[in-house]
Amino acid sequence: MLPDTLLEMDGDEAISYATILAVAATCDGEFSPEEMSAYESRVASLLYQRDVRERLSEIVGEWIDIEYHLDALSADSVKLLLRDTILMAACDGKYTDEEMKLIKQVAKKAGVDDETLNQLYLWVVEGWGWFGRGHQILGISEE
């Protein structure tokens, strides 16, 4: 299994992480199949906590106070959220203005400079390449 420090989050921190990631997935007004899949895969490890599942179900469609939820996260959790927000925003193949605004807000809270942010964007591109290479090895066409 891949290491995942999300499993170490308590209930409140898990809710804040999942809430902001949901904003990243939907802030462009769409929730594409790629975004939904990425969101579900990242948040699935948090759902073993019953109260997290219930609270996430209750907030669907509500206005989200991003700063409130950012303040609920530890320094490391904000950094993980930044990484996953960038990944989430890239799922549909483009970064919208809304997604970029959210990424910058999370990056600021995380204390991440532009160079580190650029490295994260490159990490996403490399990740897609790595994943695509698996398809090439197996002879699976990518549409």
Side-chain angles (χ1 to χ4, degrees), residues 11-128:
D12 289 337
E13 198 171 24
I15 289 294
S16 290
Y17 171 91
T19 299
I20 296 174
L21 206 58
V23 170
T26 60
C27 70
D28 62 359
E30 299 178 23
F31 197 24
S32 71
E34 297 85 3
E35 289 166 328
M36 186 179 297
S37 177
Y39 178 77
E40 289 176 352
S41 70
R42 289 308 303 147
V43 174
S45 62
L46 302 172
L47 298 180
Y48 74 93
Q49 301 177 52
R50 181 179 172 84
D51 66 311
V52 171
R53 282 194 312 272
E54 292 169 359
R55 288 170 60 192
L56 283 175
S57 295
E58 292 169 2
I59 64 170
V60 172
E62 291 182 9
W63 177 82
I64 305 299
D65 181 348
I66 302 296
E67 286 299 323
Y68 170 83
H69 288 288
L70 285 173
D71 289 342
L73 296 172
S74 69
D76 284 347
S77 292
V78 174
K79 290 175 182 176
L80 288 173
L81 175 66
L82 176 61
R83 178 200 67 189
D84 293 344
T85 299
I86 291 170
L87 183 61
M88 180 70 58
C91 284
D92 60 3
K94 62 187 181 301
Y95 292 106
T96 65
D97 291 340
E98 295 87 1
E99 291 166 338
M100 293 301 295
K101 181 180 173 185
L102 179 61
I103 289 166
K104 289 177 183 177
Q105 186 177 7
V106 177
K108 181 178 178 183
K109 182 69 175 185
V112 169
D113 61 25
D114 288 342
E115 176 58 31
T116 303
L117 203 51
N118 288 333
Q119 288 178 36
L120 285 170
Y121 288 120
L122 181 58
W123 170 79
V124 169
V125 171
E126 291 170 349
W128 290 157

